[in-house]
Amino acid sequence: LKFYSMVDLTGQKVAFISDTHFASKKENVEYFPVVLDFCRNHGIFYLFHGGDIGDGLVECHKEKKKKKKQIDHILDVYPEDKNIRQYILGGNHDAKYLKHGYDLLKILSAEKKNIFPLGYFQSYFTVYGYPFSFEHHSKIRPQYRLVDFPFVIAGHAHKSRFADDFIKLPTLSNDIHMENKPEGTAGFVVMETFPCGCSFDLNFSRYSF
């Protein structure tokens, strides 16, 4: 297991986003640049995307029904920053491009600066040597989770929830699943880590649009 982690985030402040659904009817391309500005202004140098970067030809905008147009649009609107390392996970919508010969994660990491693919559905990072599962998963889609882990940060639900063993990330689009409730609002989450004796503390903050 010592080789499973993509990155160690000990002592780092990290931003988490998910479910941007670019090229869909409910995309909002104005949200993501605001998140990057927030990172620049608050000394955050790591950003993780929890999957469903694109629409995947599911509920696409009428002008973007062809897969090549969707890929080109995502490349146009996906922001980058040479000082912020972005780790991107593929979700169920992103996996649909694979059937048409497009690996969105590879395309983004090749065309954009400082973007690193994590694979599809589940990846891992560590904080003070402790394993975290970073995944695109829900209880109704158990096939997306490859390995169970004691602490999970997950996209896919389009709602932010906080518990002792998991964090669910809000969407960064206008595809809201829980209207008029704070947990259903579009936004992002910031994680901070602090040493505490022989262990460590985590602080999660939710920011909403």
Side-chain angles (χ1 to χ4, degrees):
L1 283 178
K2 64 182 179 180
F3 299 113
Y4 68 85
S5 176
M6 289 294 295
V7 61
D8 186 83
L9 299 174
T10 298
Q12 296 293 334
K13 187 186 292 186
V14 185
F16 292 93
I17 64 171
S18 191
D19 296 273
T20 46
H21 289 273
F22 290 134
S24 75
K25 297 175 183 177
K26 297 183 178 179
E27 70 171 4
N28 190 321
V29 299
E30 296 180 359
Y31 286 154
F32 202 159
V34 173
V35 177
L36 280 187
D37 282 341
F38 181 94
C39 292
R40 296 183 192 105
N41 294 331
H42 291 82
I44 299 174
F45 303 107
Y46 290 88
L47 184 144
F48 281 66
H49 194 306
D52 282 357
I53 298 165
D55 171 69
L57 307 173
V58 179
E59 295 181 302
C60 52
H61 190 280
K62 63 181 180 180
E63 297 176 358
K64 303 177 181 68
K65 291 185 177 180
K66 294 184 178 180
K67 48 190 176 295
K68 181 64 165 59
K69 282 193 173 182
Q70 286 206 7
I71 297 296
D72 289 343
H73 174 71
I74 294 168
L75 285 172
D76 285 341
V77 301
Y78 200 101
E80 60 187 321
D81 188 293
K82 64 180 181 179
N83 297 316
I84 299 173
R85 294 175 68 90
Q86 295 192 51
Y87 291 87
I88 55 175
L89 187 71
N92 55 303
H93 284 253
D94 306 315
K96 294 183 184 298
Y97 294 119
L98 295 172
K99 299 178 182 179
H100 300 278
Y102 292 92
D103 188 330
L104 180 58
L105 305 187
K106 287 185 177 181
I107 292 170
L108 279 170
S109 61
E111 297 292 331
K112 300 284 185 173
K113 296 178 181 178
N114 235 6
I115 292 181
F116 305 91
L118 294 173
Y120 288 81
F121 301 125
Q122 189 174 26
S123 187
Y124 310 93
F125 61 84
T126 51
V127 175
Y128 293 97
Y130 188 87
F132 286 70
S133 177
F134 183 60
E135 59 192 57
H136 193 84
H137 165 80
S138 74
K139 289 183 179 179
I140 62 172
R141 302 287 187 190
Q143 68 270 28
Y144 295 164
R145 175 176 284 167
L146 306 179
V147 180
D148 284 326
F149 257 71
F151 195 89
V152 173
I153 298 177
H156 184 74
H158 288 231
K159 57 188 176 186
S160 56
R161 292 279 176 85
F162 297 81
D164 290 338
D165 58 351
F166 71 83
I167 300 291
K168 290 183 179 181
L169 300 174
T171 180
L172 201 64
S173 74
N174 291 333
D175 189 1
I176 306 300
H177 289 189
M178 299 183 70
E179 294 283 355
N180 304 318
K181 292 187 178 181
E183 57 264 41
T185 308
F188 61 101
V189 171
V190 172
M191 179 185 77
E192 296 181 77
T193 64
F194 305 96
C196 182
C198 296
S199 60
F200 63 93
D201 286 339
L202 295 172
N203 180 66
F204 289 95
S205 303
R206 178 179 64 204
Y207 295 86
S208 299
F209 287 91

